Amino acid sequence: MLTKRQNLLETIKGGNPDRFVNQYEAFVCTDAIYGMIMGDPISGQGEFPMPGGQPAKNGWGITFAWPEGTPGAFPLHDAEHKVLKDITKWREFVKAPKTDFPPEAWAPFMPAIEAIDRNEVFATAFVAPGVFEQCHHLMGMEDCLMGFYEEPEEMHALIDYIVEYELRYAAELVKYYKPDCIFHHDDWGSSLNSFMAPEMFEEFIVPAYKKIYGFYKANGVELIVHHSDSYAANLVPLMIEMGIDIWQGCISSNNVPELIKKFGGQISFMGDIDNSLIDNEAWTQESVGAEVRKAVKRCGKHYYIPCITQGGPGSVYPGVYEAITTELNQINKELL
């Protein structure tokens, strides 16, 4: 029987997997709740809200709130909390967190990293937010999108600043954790379309990720998994150009089977089990299981990983993620 790591590689290379990859199983690392390497002194600066708790300000000075019953936290962009109100003045207001921590600051995290069985799973570092998200977290979605049209030079400059921070952060992750895989968040669309036309995306976002993902690949990272739980089928050729190995979060409106047929072998797809269909208070094992079986039937075993579309192992309603896992275990038993 293949290890979880081997089975995933066979899947994304079009080889001979002996079962479906079961959601995030091949990326299980150090965090018992989330399943990935999330702790480090750089990302730990500032505060982060708990579900239903009080808003909190992170290391960039962005205030986040996490209302009870929602999938995650999102920044507050009222007049009191918006960090950047004028893109032309970003140099005055946008200050990246520090990245130059001494070895002793990393030491508490190292025993868990060293305990990872890299023959069984990928040592996976979680990185969020992404370049586009960082932009609209600072200034709000409307101002961000308008900035691409009205102040392109300033948006390019701000993105360059964010990329420089990401590269400094990446250098420290590589130095201390030596991850095999990077799981990187950056939502690029709604359920119906991408936030930017491919031409604009190619101008502003692609060069940034070619630098970031190129750095990781040049420094020992085997897999780049990018999360965007959205429509982004129109961006897949650009994802391939960036160096993404697996697009996680591909919701069913992307026509995932068609993407697999067209791009399988260049990139793989992880998702097609939409939160919007199953992650609700009325879920049952039967209702979840039915969606799982539809997904694996239409997508097949090559270049596809069946998975909840949210960006990490878990669900808004307790038990939904585990119900998917249970169904996939049953499907895999039936294949033996």
Side-chain angles (χ1 to χ4, degrees):
M1 185 175 178
L2 298 172
T3 67
K4 295 170 183 177
R5 180 180 181 129
Q6 291 168 340
N7 192 58
L8 181 138
L9 288 174
E10 289 294 311
T11 297
I12 69 173
K13 292 180 179 180
N16 294 297
D18 58 19
R19 61 197 184 275
F20 283 103
V21 178
N22 198 324
Q23 305 201 86
Y24 289 93
E25 65 175 3
F27 309 117
V28 174
C29 297
T30 63
D31 189 284
I33 297 175
Y34 214 70
M36 300 179 195
I37 303 171
M38 294 186 71
D40 65 71
I42 297 173
S43 64
Q45 297 173 86
E47 299 177 339
F48 199 77
M50 298 301 293
Q54 294 297 311
K57 186 179 294 186
N58 73 3
W60 288 82
I62 302 166
T63 302
F64 284 81
W66 192 339
E68 192 73 43
T70 59
F74 205 76
L76 299 177
H77 287 133
D78 57 5
E80 178 185 354
H81 294 100
K82 187 184 292 188
V83 173
L84 181 58
K85 300 176 183 178
D86 181 347
I87 181 60
T88 66
K89 298 180 179 179
W90 72 264
R91 294 167 186 82
E92 298 177 37
F93 296 100
V94 178
K95 306 298 178 185
K98 62 179 290 188
T99 56
D100 56 340
F101 286 86
E104 51 266 30
W106 292 82
F109 303 98
M110 296 310 298
I113 305 300
E114 293 161 357
I116 297 170
D117 182 354
R118 296 178 186 238
N119 293 314
E120 180 65 26
V121 297
F122 288 90
T124 304
F126 177 95
V127 179
V131 173
F132 175 66
E133 287 182 345
Q134 190 66 265
C135 288
H136 72 74
H137 286 182
L138 288 163
M139 67 182 81
M141 182 66 78
E142 294 86 353
D143 288 356
C144 177
L145 292 176
M146 289 301 295
F148 291 118
Y149 289 98
E150 296 180 341
E151 296 289 347
E153 291 185 4
E154 295 295 342
M155 289 299 296
H156 274 298
L158 175 59
I159 288 171
D160 287 345
Y161 181 79
I162 292 169
V163 170
E164 288 168 6
Y165 162 80
E166 276 234 23
L167 291 174
R168 293 195 301 272
Y169 182 21
E172 298 301 295
L173 285 177
V174 166
K175 176 181 177 181
Y176 288 101
Y177 290 171
K178 299 177 175 58
D180 305 313
C181 174
I182 296 296
F183 185 79
H184 202 294
H185 270 230
D186 206 11
D187 288 334
W188 291 332
S190 69
S191 62
L192 300 177
N193 211 336
S194 58
F195 292 131
M196 285 179 274
E199 295 77 13
M200 180 176 282
F201 187 86
E202 184 174 21
E203 176 185 347
F204 288 93
I205 306 300
V206 171
Y209 277 105
K210 289 176 75 171
K211 291 178 184 177
I212 294 167
Y213 291 159
F215 177 87
Y216 280 120
K217 287 289 185 76
N219 285 276
V221 172
E222 186 172 354
L223 289 183
I224 300 294
V225 182
H226 185 98
H227 165 81
S228 178
D229 53 347
S230 66
Y231 180 87
N234 57 341
L235 305 179
V236 170
L238 299 173
M239 295 187 201
I240 295 168
E241 183 180 341
M242 290 176 181
I244 293 171
D245 298 293
I246 301 171
W247 169 21
Q248 190 279 326
C250 45
I251 58 178
S252 58
S253 62
N254 289 283
N255 192 349
V256 178
E258 185 64 28
L259 291 177
I260 293 169
K261 185 184 301 183
K262 188 173 182 179
F263 298 107
Q266 301 177 77
I267 189 171
S268 292
F269 304 90
M270 183 174 176
D272 203 50
I273 304 172
D274 293 5
N275 288 68
S276 61
L277 297 178
I278 60 171
D279 197 0
N280 54 62
E281 61 184 6
W283 76 272
T284 64
Q285 183 65 50
E286 291 72 25
S287 65
V288 171
E291 293 300 326
V292 173
R293 288 180 180 268
K294 288 178 187 176
V296 299
K297 182 178 181 179
R298 62 182 171 244
C299 293
K301 68 176 184 177
H302 289 135
Y303 316 118
Y304 172 65
I305 299 168
C307 183
I308 197 168
T309 49
Q310 81 164 42
S315 53
V316 175
Y317 289 85
V320 173
Y321 180 82
E322 291 77 11
I324 299 173
T325 297
T326 297
E327 196 67 29
L328 285 170
N329 282 337
Q330 180 59 37
I331 291 170
N332 284 333
K333 287 180 182 178
E334 294 167 7
L335 294 176
L336 295 177

